[in-house]
Each structure stands twice: as C-alpha cells, then as structure tokens.
C-alpha cells in the first residue's frame, strides 16, 4: 500500500461536505465547529501516514509488542527498538518520542494506554487514556510536529471498549486544543486513525457530537447546535476544502482485522475480562 500524504487525509469539514460523516441528532453542550479543518478521521494502516508524528499504542517497556506496536516496529526497522531501549520505559498514561527511521512520518510518539480492566477497577481508565492523548499532543508541539495521527490507544489488546475510548480521546483532544493557545497553535492537524470497523464507527458516532458541522457553511448545517462565533472562524478554511473527486483517491481501508494480521485473540481476551498484567 502506498503512503498517504497529509493532503489526502480528509478533515471533518471535508467529510461533512462529502456526506461521509453524518451530523449527530444531538450535540454536546460545549460542541464546537472551530476545529473541523484541523481534525481528521481515516481508517487505514497508521504506518502509511505521512503526518509529522504517529502515535503508537505501546506498553511500559517501550520494547515493542503486538498490534499496532508490532506493525510500527516492523515498518520502522530495528533502529527504532535501539532508540526505544535507551528511554527507560514509560509510565501508563504518558508518552515518549523517538525518530521514525524507515516510516514515512518524522517522529513516533509511544503512548502507554491503560489496561482497561485493571484501570477501570481503580477508576483511573479515562484519566490515564486522556493523559496519553494530552502528553502526545504536548510532545508533538514541543518537537515541531505540526500534524500527528493517533492510533486508537488501548482498544486492542488492552481491551478498552471502542465507544468509551473514542469519546475519551475526542474530549481530551478538544480540551487540549481549547487550552494553552500558544501551544495549541503549533498543531495544524490531529488525525484519528482507526483500523477496525468498531473503532471507525465509534469515531463516526462521537466526532459529530463534539465537532458538529458549521452552520451556514458548505458543511451539512446543523443550525441549532454549532456556535455562531465558531462559524465565521472556520468558514474560510472550509470553503477551501478538497472536492469529492479528490477524496475518492483516498487509500483503501484495510481488508484484514489486526487479529488476522498476527494479533493474538487469546491475549486480547485476557485483557478484556481481567487485567492479569502487561503482556
Ligand atoms: N494501524 C493502525 N491501527 C492499528 C494497526 C495499524 N497497523 N494495527 C492495529 N491497530 P493494540 P493496545 C489498532 O492492540 O490495546 C501491544 O502488544 C487496533 O485495531 O495495538 O493499546 C503493545 O506492545 C486498535 O484499535 O494496542 C502493548 O503491550 C489499536 O490499534 C499492547 O499491545 C490499539 O490496539 C497495547 O494494547
């Protein structure tokens, strides 16, 4: 599969315009359209994305594993493991950054999401997951990465339910973009990269609740809910959107689920039902 440049990754504005993302029937109280040209959703293999950084779903050792971690290490080559082994691991809920070696991105951010069962029992699951998203955004901003793509952290082997994870991830990214203005201004694009259909569906459900189409623009209007102030700010970006014809050139979605691509189901089941320990 060829690599995908940032210009080929559709923004929410473009997805709404092309009816590839449907507005929600009800939006969140604090919903905004302000960031619709800075947020993307794509279902693809994250190792093919030409964003400045990609975010890996790692474990505390940072020494590789299955799932997306395995795919990233395979695609980056052995130098990635060499660099990771100098980092002294990483706490759950946090992240560290490395070079990307043979990957088309410039950097890899290794985030350690929570094992759902264990973290949920301690009431820490969403705090830890959101910590991964916020630390990754901080690291991207500090390291000159203007675009970054997140894998759906913790939703594979670590057993975090897709809908809960998508909502927590979206809230974290929204909160971060609305936070420190100077820092947030350094990030031009945040991509949610899903792989399995269940995760794609979860983002398609929750992104419109938090980031509805701008009313009065070329997006599918949802006049009742999107803030008036947001509209004027986003309008010019949205009018400059990619056409449907260009978007039809987007890469094919994967035809294999990760479990078929070498991610052990037995291991996943263990973390779904009980958090026995880090694999
Ligand atoms: N591109 C994008 N997303 C992918 C890809 C890919 N090539 N492959 C899988 N995913 P997981 P976790 C999705 O299990 O749950 C590792 O062994 C996958 O569908 O990779 O955080 C680590 O070393 C899912 O949505 O990570 C840890 O030990 C998401 O990536 C442990 O797994 C995350 O699934 C971390 O578990």
């Amino acid at each position: 599969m060829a690599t995908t440049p940032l210009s080929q990754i559709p923004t929410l504005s473009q997805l709404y315009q092309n009816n590839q993302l449907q507005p929600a029937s009800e939006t969140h109280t604090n919903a905004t359209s302000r960031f619709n040209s800075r947020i993307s959703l794509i279902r693809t293999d994250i190792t093919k994305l030409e964003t400045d950084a990609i975010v890996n779903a790692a474990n505390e050792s940072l020494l590789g594993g299955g799932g997306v971690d395995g795919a990233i290490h395979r695609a980056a080559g052995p130098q990635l493991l060499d660099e990771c082994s100098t980092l002294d691991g990483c706490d759950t809920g946090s992240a560290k950054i490395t070079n990307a070696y043979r990957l088309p991105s410039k950097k890899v951010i290794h985030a350690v999401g929570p094992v759902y069962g264990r973290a949920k029992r301690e009431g820490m699951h969403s705090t830890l997951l959101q910590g991964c998203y916020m630390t990754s955004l901080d690291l991207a901003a500090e390291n000159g990465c203007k675009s970054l793509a997140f894998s759906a952290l913790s939703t594979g082997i670590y057993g975090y339910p897709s809908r809960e994870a998508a909502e927590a991830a979206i809230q974290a990214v929204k909160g971060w973009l609305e936070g420190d203005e100077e820092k947030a201004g350094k990030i031009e694009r945040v991509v949610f990269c899903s792989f399995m259909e269940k995760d794609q569906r979860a983002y398609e459900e929750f992104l419109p609740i938090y980031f509805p189409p701008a009313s009065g623009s070329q997006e599918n209007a949802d006049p009742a809910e999107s803030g008036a102030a947001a509209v004027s700010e986003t309008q010019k970006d949205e009018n400059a959107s990619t056409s449907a014809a260009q978007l039809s050139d987007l890469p094919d979605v994967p035809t294999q689920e990760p479990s078929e691509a070498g991610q052990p189901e037995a291991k996943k089941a263990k973390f779904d039902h009980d958090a026995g320990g880090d694999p």
Side-chain angles (χ1 to χ4, degrees):
M1 205 204 299
T3 61
T4 306
L6 187 61
S7 59
Q8 289 287 303
I9 304 176
T11 64
L12 296 187
S13 301
Q14 292 164 348
L15 291 170
Y16 284 130
Q17 279 180 3
N18 294 305
N19 287 320
Q20 289 168 308
L21 190 62
Q22 304 311 317
S25 49
E26 263 188 79
T27 57
H28 193 267
T29 338
N30 298 320
T32 177
S33 312
R34 266 177 74 199
F35 306 113
N36 288 4
S37 56
R38 289 166 65 193
I39 295 178
S40 289
L41 173 62
I42 192 168
R43 185 179 176 203
T44 193
D45 177 352
I46 201 168
T47 65
K48 307 296 182 198
L49 294 183
E50 294 179 34
T51 45
D52 289 343
I54 61 171
V55 184
N56 181 17
N59 59 58
E60 287 187 348
S61 77
L62 298 185
L63 299 178
V68 70
D69 198 2
I72 287 174
H73 275 272
R74 276 194 299 280
Q79 284 173 294
L80 181 60
L81 183 58
D82 292 344
E83 183 174 355
C84 282
S85 61
T86 67
L87 297 179
D88 197 24
C90 179
D91 291 338
T92 297
S94 191
K96 291 193 176 174
I97 190 164
T98 65
N99 292 317
Y101 304 98
R102 292 184 205 149
L103 287 162
S105 59
K106 295 179 190 141
K107 296 280 180 185
V108 179
I109 295 171
H110 305 264
V112 185
V115 174
Y116 183 71
R118 183 197 307 159
K120 171 104 176 158
R121 278 196 293 277
E122 292 165 3
M124 288 300 290
H125 52 299
S126 52
T127 306
L128 291 170
L129 187 65
Q130 292 185 327
C132 289
Y133 282 88
M134 293 187 292
T135 312
S136 298
L137 287 159
D138 283 343
L139 285 171
E142 285 160 15
N143 287 273
C145 299
K146 294 181 180 160
S147 58
L148 77 167
F150 284 100
S151 56
L153 306 173
S154 281
T155 63
I157 295 169
Y158 281 1
Y160 211 119
S162 295
R163 293 179 68 255
E164 266 185 64
E167 186 169 20
I170 291 164
Q171 287 171 340
V173 168
K174 180 172 179 284
W176 191 90
L177 289 171
E178 290 172 338
D180 185 327
E181 214 174 299
E182 199 190 326
K183 211 159 54 170
K186 294 183 176 164
I187 301 292
E188 294 171 5
R189 189 78 71 86
V190 181
V191 179
F192 292 105
C193 175
S194 67
F195 194 60
M196 292 176 74
E197 191 175 357
K198 67 183 176 78
D199 299 297
Q200 177 72 7
R201 295 275 162 268
Y203 287 116
E204 286 172 352
E205 177 181 347
F206 285 100
L207 282 167
I209 293 175
Y210 288 89
F211 302 114
S215 56
S217 76
Q218 289 173 10
E219 292 182 8
N220 279 342
D222 181 10
E225 299 297 342
S226 42
V231 175
S232 56
E233 198 180 324
T234 48
Q235 197 124 30
K236 66 174 182 323
D237 292 334
E238 285 151 10
N239 290 344
S241 295
T242 313
S243 70
Q246 281 169 286
L247 285 176
S248 68
D249 290 340
L250 288 171
D252 293 336
V253 296
T255 53
Q256 257 189 329
E257 299 287 33
S259 57
E260 296 161 23
Q263 181 165 300
E265 273 304 310
K267 221 177 185 181
K268 177 179 180 324
K270 176 181 165 195
F271 286 101
D272 276 344
H273 303 302
D274 188 87
D278 226 14

